Amino acid sequence: MTFEQLLQYIFSGLTSGSIYALTALGFTLIYNATGLINFAQGELVMLGGLSAVGLYQAGLPLPVAFLGSLTIVLIVTVLFQQLAIRPLLSRGVLAQVIATVGASLALRTAAMMIFGREALPLPAFSGDTPIRIFGASLNPQTLWVVGSTLLIVLALQLFYRRTLTGKAVRACAVNPLAARLMGVSYSNVVLLSFAVSGAISAAAGVMITPISFMTYSSGALLGLKGFAAAALGGLGNPVGAVVGGVALGILEGLGVGLVSSGYKDAIAFVILLLVLFLRPQGIFGGKAVEQE
Amino acid sequence: MALLTLEGVSMRFGGLDALQDVGFHLHEQQIKALIGPNGAGKTTLFNCITGALRPTAGRVLLEGRDVTAWPAHRMCHEGVGRTFQHSRLFDDMSVLENVMVGRHARTSAGLLSAFLRLPRHRREEAESRQAAMDALWRVDLVDRADQPASSLPLGERHLLEMARALATEPRILLLDEPAAGLNDEETERLATSVRRIRDEGVTILLVEHDMGFVMDISDEVVVLDYGRKIAEGPPLMIQADEEVIRAYLGEELE
Amino acid sequence: MSGGTSSRVSRFVPRNWSFAVLAVAVLLVPAFTRDTYILSIFAFMATRFMVVVGLWLLLGLAGQISLGHAAFVGLGAYGSAILVTRADVNPWLALVMSAVLAAAIAGLIGIPTLKLKGHYLAMATMGFGEIIHILLIQLKGLTNGTDGITGIPPLSLGPLNFSDPRLYHLLVWVVALIFFLLALNLTNSRLGRALQALRRSEVAAQSLGVDTSWRKLQVFMLSAVAASIAGSFDAHYVQFVSPDSFTLNVSVILVCSVVIGGFRSVWGAVWGTLLITILPEIIKRFNEDAVNLVFGLLIIVIVVLLPVKSGPLARLQLLLRGRERL
């Protein structure tokens, strides 16, 4: 493998890695608030991408389609949270997990009925002319993806560290009972976590669509990889989610270079199993994952 | 030799020392109580003894054998039974079925004999049923056997937890706040059961806040405060101990 | 599950009566119809039933979710197809070999995930399902890619050739009913109680001597074996396999059928199977694509509106039996 090729794989790994990082963050937000793994997370990414395609094809300018897509996914997520998760908060994780599994099937099927079975594209945010760096070509969309991911992560950090609401959410993650005693409304925190998680996932979906297209069935793999990234970094750890996502993306990029692109999607799964086997708390240590 | 020995047991959670260098002996057929203000580390110590937690330092010895951090199910096989502070009954099972789960460690039917209802399995089932009824009898719950566990009042939930642990044929029984939420009459009934169980040869270690109950029933008391052992001795001595009084007064002032 | 000593005898008899009624009813079907379409629906119902009963043991009894059971069915189907058509292995031996492979893979996935708390198994099995789907398409030399494998011979046993749909009906239903009987026995045993206990509280179950990781692994492998055997039967019956039959959606539908039938009793698997066989036939009249949408929404409604341990049909069944206690 030449240096140019290596760089090329790293660039493409960085792009998909950013998407995995955002999806992993989506998992993390909900996991920290409720302790549940949202099996519809990938579907939210898919829905974000396809909604933007739909709005764009309906004639809206790209930025408007972007925002419109965020709004749509936000509404879907909040509705799901209010109608299904909220009544189940006191009923244990199993029921909640089943509800998210049902939601994933429903969203996937609804997307197929609305947008059809074809993979749909979206134009790149600022043209397709590649930028040359050290002999490798960098797609401008990559800069958009990586830049926006950084922005989102920074904004989240500010929100959780500096604002009162953010601190309340973190308090809930550490000790729901104590937070409740301090007057933090647990169900509002859960609602907020779902909303933010949905918006982030939608943004990830819109940004990746110009590069890899989107179909109704893309959600499952995106969700799986986001989860693998979160587990790699340490489930429940936001920094771990971002680092895990980027690491997974780059490993996948290199894997494609070294093995074959046909098995690209298998890499995340192998990594997931290896992490669970060797270091279930992930690289950076997540919340206690071993049996209490 | 002591039945159970703790040596320098310590437990850290992140930066917090939940237990620091706790050690004591538990002798055959003793009733020993573990007391201390909230957050003193009593339940954590239980978890370290029963294998639910792995202590960060120190050893747990059972008849001199090092059993530190053995998995919980193995400790059950070794004869260490326990109840939980917030009752963890199997609410979707009957009272009897709850106790029959306690026979798991003392039965051995595998997948095949369960599938085929082999004669050995049927015999074992009958024995389990009998042993479970015996355990219910020991805590005076026989007439509840067929009711769903979820229908029991709090006092009887504690008793059922005890029966379930007794069905595992423990040599040591660890009771986590068995008297919490009980009225006087229920507490009296509990004390009678605990004494009877001890007289039948079971050694008892219990965590309890009800001082009347503790002083009445125990042979020895260990006091924990902020994860450290601050006193150990017979009830009368503990009641006169100044450090203990300070620890408890401190709590009341909060 | 919430009965007791005194009612033991009286409950033992009706339970066996229910089983006898079920067995006689399904085994008599070929006496009333020669219609191949109806018989094919029943044939698929039998294998589906096996998968759902296995999954019920995992999800309904032990409370663990698998989102990859379609892949285990696929493993059995492709295992049989490949071994029989390419290596000329005896079909029955191929069925057993595939089941052993399924158990081994289940072990590989289950060992790291089932000792963790939460639902890592669900995500790992979902990943496994996606991988199998990819492999079935990519390993063209072995699986013939998206075209699938044709020419799988029907099963036969000595002079009996099960290409006759009515004979096959008897075979596949006898197998499914035997497995159901085994599952009934299991739920009513030491191991069944252990699994039910750990669903409620793993910590409490461990303190009573249950090796929860091992028991969860055991039931997961068992359910994988049931799925694989069902897949082998399907492959020989249809004489064709393709990757499309083993997707994530199918896995989720299988979970739906367990949830719909309810967690209370393994009889829920009967009602769940019945409903996922019949409901699509009805919905298809309106809109073929909407089937999965309805199932997805249905399980959300069920878990939100009803306690999971008693699906609507389990509830109905209890009411019909006059047992009010839920």
Side-chain angles (χ1 to χ4, degrees), chain A residues 243-263:
Chain A
V243 179
V246 175
L248 178 64
I250 290 176
L251 282 173
E252 212 179 70
L254 294 177
V256 171
L258 293 171
V259 193
S260 144
S261 61
Y263 298 104

Side-chain angles (χ1 to χ4, degrees), chain B residues 3 26 37 39 61 65 100 134 187 202 213 228 251:
Chain B
L3 185 53
L26 184 63
L61 306 172
R65 205 155 39 115
M100 284 177 79
D134 288 347
T187 308
V202 181
F213 177 76
R228 288 177 309 113
E251 193 198 28

Side-chain angles (χ1 to χ4, degrees), chain C residues 91-110:
Chain C
W92 299 101
L93 181 62
L95 178 145
V96 172
M97 287 167 70
S98 309
V100 170
L101 179 67
I105 292 181
L108 195 69
I109 302 170

Side-chain angles (χ1 to χ4, degrees), chain A residues 48-99:
Chain A
L50 285 182
S51 307
V53 171
L55 295 174
Y56 181 74
Q57 286 179 346
L60 294 175
L62 197 51
V64 179
F66 193 142
L67 289 178
S69 147
L70 292 200
T71 315
I72 291 174
V73 176
L74 196 72
I75 291 172
V76 169
T77 319
V78 166
L79 275 180
F80 171 67
Q81 196 282 145
Q82 288 289 13
L83 295 177
I85 297 300
R86 199 186 180 109
L88 294 176
L89 280 180
S90 60
R91 283 253 310 281
V93 171
L94 183 62
Q96 299 172 31
V97 166
I98 291 174

Side-chain angles (χ1 to χ4, degrees), chain C residues 258-270:
Chain C
V258 173
V259 175
I260 290 169
F263 289 8
R264 181 164 200 91
S265 138
V266 67
W267 281 91
V270 177

